[in-house]
Structure formats: C-alpha cells, structure tokens
Amino acid sequence: DGTQTSGIAVGSRSGTTNAFAYDLNLTAGSSATGQFAQLGFQKSNAGNTYEVGGDILVHVVNDITAEAGAADFNYAQIGHVGADMVSDSTVEAAVDAAIDITAGNNLNFKAGDGAYAYAQLGHGGAYAKGAPHSGAITISSAYDLNFEAGAGSGAYAQLGHGGLNANGSHGGDITISSANDLTFKAGDGADAYAQLGHGGLNANGSHGGDITISSANDLTFTAGADDYAYAQLGHGGAGASGDHSGVITISSANDLTFEAGAGTDTYAQLGHGGDSADGDHTGAITISSANDLTFEAGTGTDTYAQLGHGGNLAEGSHGGAITISSANDLNFKAGAGNSAYAHLGHGGSYVDNGDHSGAITIISANDLNFTAGAIYAYAQLGHGGYIVDGYSRHRGDIIISSANDLNFAGAGDYAYAQLGHGGAYAVGDHSDAITISSANDLNFKAGAGSYAYAQLGHGGAYADGSRTGDIDITLV
C-alpha cells in the first residue's frame, strides 16, 4: 500500500504465480530508495545461467494498478527480475515465462517522481542487463490500458520485456485481444519514455515477437518534454541497437494518434527501431480498420513522427510490407524542430548503409495530408528520407487503391514533401511502381524554403542513383 520500508516482491521462480482478485494494487513507497512493489520473482546479479521459468497469471474482476513512488528505484512491476540497483557488470537471471492478464476494467501503470521509478508489465527492469528475457504477454480482456511515465529521470512506462539500459535479447509475442483505449504517455523527466514493445532506451540486443491488437478504440502515443522521453509502439527504442523484428497487426481500432514532443529525440513511432537504433528492423505492419491516423512531429530537435521501421540515425536495412486496408484521413505533419520529419515508410533522416523495402498499400482512405515543417523537417510517403546514404536501395510498389484528396506541401529549407522512394540527398537505387487507382484531387505545393520541393515520384533533390518504375494515376 506504499507504506513499506523496503522492497516487496511476490513470485515463484519455477511455478506459476497466480493472482485472482477483485482489484490488484501494486504501490511502491516514497520515503527511501528501493521501496519497490513487484508481482514476480525478484532476482538481481544471478548470472544468465540462473533461469526463471514460472508463468504469471493474473485475473481480476476490476482494475489492475501499478504505481511507482517518489524515491529512486521505487518501481512498480508485473514481471520477473526487477531493477538492478547496483552499478556492476554482473548480468541478471535469464527468463522464459508467459504473462497472462484478464481484467474486467482498467490496467493503470503509472511511473513516479523518483529516478528510475518506472512502471512495467514485462520481465526485466531498469539496468537489468545481459540476460535474455522472453515469454508471451497476453491481455485477453481489459478496458482502458494506461501507461504513463513519470517526472523522475528514467521513470519510464512500458508494456514489454526489457527496460532502461536493459541490454540483452528480449522476445515473445504481445497480444491484446480486446480493449478500449490504449494510452501511452511519456513523462516530464529525461529518459522517461513510454513504449509498447520489447527493448527500451539504450537496451541493446535483438528484440522480437509479433505485436497484435485485435480490437481497440483509440490508440494514443504521446512523447514528452524532456530529452529522450519518446513514445513508441514497436520493438527497440532510442539507442537500442540490434536486429528488431516481428509482425505488427492492428485489426480494428478508431483513431491512431502519435505525437512527438518538445525535448531532443522525443519522437513518436509505430514501428521497430527508434532514434539511433542501429540494426536491421523487419516485419509487416498491417492496419486493417481504423478511423484517422495522425502522426505529428514535435518542436524539439529530431522529434520525428513515423509509421515504419527505422528512425532518425537508425542505420541498417529496414523492411516489410505496410498495409492500411481501411481508414479515414491520414495526417502526417512535420514539426517546428530541426529534423522533426513526418514519414510513412521505412528509413528516416541520416539512415545509412542499408536497404529499405516493402510494398506500401493504402486500399481505402479519405484525404492523405503530408505537410512539411521547419528546416530538414520533411514529409514523405515512401521509403528513404533525408540524406539516406551508403548506396541503399529503396523499393517496393506504392499502391493507393481509393482515396479522396492527396495533399503534399513543402515548407522550410530542405523540408520537402514527397510521394515516392528516396528523398533529398538520398543515395542509391529507387524503384518500383506508383499506382493511384482512384482519387479526386492531387495537390503538390512546394514551400518557401530552399529545396522545399513537392514531388510525385522516386528520387529527390540531389538524389544519386537510378530511378525506375511506372507511375499510373486515375482521377475521378
């Protein structure tokens, strides 16, 4: 209840940890360091030969609440291991265990005001380094899912294995079968990110597993005001180098809103990777039914908004088909910060040494609005991005089967707007067909800044390499 004088953890290393209740409340303390609250087997510095395999099963009639505290490392967690509060090189216990959640009402995970006072549904924890943490996470039924990061430095909120600086390979399918609103909000503190996926800030290693949201209402991911307080649906995270993979499927939802923030690198992304997350990131992204898709970049430097794998400075090959079967408006708006781009496709700014591929298909939508912003803050539908070097290949058919108006507008210096692969200073081969089968008006307007072009086609200003593929447009 938050009055404990030391950390409390309840869980089994090998057997199933069962929690059946009306409400489940995990409340960390606030009067001293390390007064955590954890449902799971807590073990630090055991070495990766120490294995934890007991599943966690939680069924409640009403709410599940996990609330971190105001002092350092006063975290709240459902999952094994927990934070490593000692600065050393010893790795943590290895985990392979499923987490199964059923709730009649809400899941509320709220980080705190203390440093590393995180809130997490998944194995690992802050600085839980070195060992793999895996196992399926299944939320069979719940109402709202609220994951809110805190005001403390590193007070993140995460649904997935890993955590802040939790190096190691983390995996397992994440399935949300039925829910209402999913809200992931980064905090006011530095490094206080919010993420649905494995990995975390600077969590190096290969993270994988399918992410499936079968039925939900609104999905809202909001980045924060301080540095690296990003918001992401996908594996990886800022600085999380490694190969991240898995299919992302959103079968039915209402509005999808991804808003970047004000601090440096407070990006918002639906896809694997993240800012400076080097490695190969792959897997199809499918949105079967949704209302509006809004991706809005922020006011800080590198505060991009992206639907696709990669991210700013995320070197490597990124691929997989992107399919939007049915939606209303698609709004991609770049921001006021430098390199605060808005992008539907794989790649990003300054992404070198890799290929970006996969068909991009929009079967039915209303308006497509791509609006560039400040300097280097481009808006693009296609693979590539600004200064994508290393003689990369950007390819895959772009198909828009039915839409109303397509609006692409440039803005500041190098803030171009483009429907096609490549981008300004994109070095490599850009190919495959662009097909618009049925649309009303196509509006492409350049901006006032230098090289603020508007383009339908592959390539871009000072883009080296070949450009191939038919362009077929039918207006109604």
Side-chain angles (χ1 to χ4, degrees):
D1 62 0
T3 62
Q4 65 264 37
T5 58
S6 62
I8 298 174
V10 177
S12 173
R13 176 185 176 186
S14 301
T16 300
T17 299
N18 296 297
F20 299 92
Y22 184 79
D23 288 318
L24 174 63
N25 297 303
L26 302 173
T27 306
S30 293
S31 61
T33 297
Q35 295 174 344
F36 56 83
Q38 181 175 351
L39 181 67
F41 187 78
Q42 196 274 336
K43 189 70 173 178
S44 296
N45 298 325
N48 59 12
T49 59
Y50 188 99
E51 298 179 352
V52 178
D55 295 340
I56 298 174
L57 179 63
V58 180
H59 285 196
V60 301
V61 175
N62 195 39
D63 293 335
I64 297 173
T65 301
E67 186 169 354
D72 296 353
F73 288 105
N74 285 9
Y75 64 87
Q77 181 174 352
I78 296 177
H80 298 311
V81 182
D84 186 348
M85 294 178 279
V86 179
S87 178
D88 56 32
S89 59
T90 305
V91 303
E92 316 307 329
V95 179
D96 186 5
I99 299 174
D100 191 296
I101 304 289
T102 300
N105 201 25
N106 299 330
L107 272 64
N108 300 308
F109 282 70
K110 182 177 175 59
D113 295 338
Y116 317 115
Y118 65 86
Q120 183 169 349
L121 173 54
H123 306 313
Y127 293 92
K129 57 193 175 296
H133 302 140
S134 62
I137 300 175
T138 303
I139 300 174
S140 300
S141 178
Y143 195 64
D144 292 340
L145 274 63
N146 301 306
F147 283 73
E148 183 177 353
S153 174
Y156 66 87
Q158 184 169 349
L159 195 172
H161 305 317
L164 174 69
N165 289 308
N167 296 334
S169 296
H170 312 312
D173 293 344
I174 300 174
T175 303
I176 300 171
S177 300
S178 177
N180 187 48
D181 293 339
L182 275 65
T183 302
F184 284 73
K185 183 180 180 182
D188 294 330
D191 305 338
Y193 66 87
Q195 183 169 347
L196 195 172
H198 305 315
L201 177 62
N202 294 325
N204 295 328
S206 295
H207 314 313
D210 294 343
I211 299 174
T212 303
I213 300 171
S214 299
S215 177
N217 189 41
D218 293 338
L219 276 64
T220 304
F221 285 71
T222 307
D226 210 336
D227 297 349
Y228 298 102
Y230 65 86
Q232 183 170 350
L233 194 170
H235 305 316
S241 296
D243 298 335
H244 312 317
S245 63
V247 173
I248 299 175
T249 304
I250 300 171
S251 299
S252 178
N254 189 41
D255 293 337
L256 275 63
T257 303
F258 285 72
E259 295 183 345
T264 300
D265 296 303
T266 55
Y267 66 87
Q269 183 170 352
L270 195 171
H272 305 317
D275 187 276
S276 302
D278 296 343
D280 298 337
H281 312 318
T282 58
I285 300 174
T286 301
I287 300 170
S288 300
S289 177
N291 189 41
D292 292 339
L293 275 63
T294 301
F295 285 73
E296 185 169 350
T299 58
T301 301
D302 300 335
T303 55
Y304 66 87
Q306 184 168 349
L307 195 172
H309 305 317
N312 181 63
L313 292 168
E315 297 189 2
S317 294
H318 315 313
I322 299 175
T323 304
I324 300 170
S325 299
S326 177
N328 189 39
D329 293 339
L330 275 62
N331 301 306
F332 284 72
K333 183 179 180 181
N338 290 355
S339 300
Y341 65 82
H343 194 158
L344 196 171
H346 306 314
S349 288
Y350 304 100
V351 178
D352 297 341
N353 304 317
D355 299 337
H356 310 130
S357 62
I360 300 175
T361 304
I362 301 170
I363 296 174
S364 177
N366 189 41
D367 293 340
L368 277 62
N369 302 307
F370 285 73
T371 307
I375 185 170
Y376 312 125
Y378 67 87
Q380 184 169 349
L381 194 170
H383 305 314
Y386 178 69
I387 308 188
V388 180
D389 209 339
Y391 289 94
S392 304
R393 291 180 294 174
H394 312 126
R395 63 190 189 276
D397 292 341
I398 299 175
I399 301 170
I400 301 172
S401 299
S402 177
N404 187 39
D405 295 340
L406 276 64
N407 302 305
F408 285 72
D413 291 348
Y414 302 98
Y416 64 87
Q418 183 169 345
L419 195 171
H421 304 316
Y425 293 92
V427 179
D429 297 330
H430 320 304
S431 65
D432 289 333
I434 299 174
T435 304
I436 302 172
S437 300
S438 176
N440 189 29
D441 293 333
L442 272 63
N443 302 303
F444 285 72
K445 181 180 179 180
S450 300
Y451 308 106
Y453 64 87
Q455 178 173 333
L456 196 168
H458 305 317
Y462 296 99
D464 292 337
S466 64
R467 303 162 181 80
T468 59
D470 295 338
I471 298 176
D472 189 351
I473 300 172
T474 301
L475 300 181
V476 296

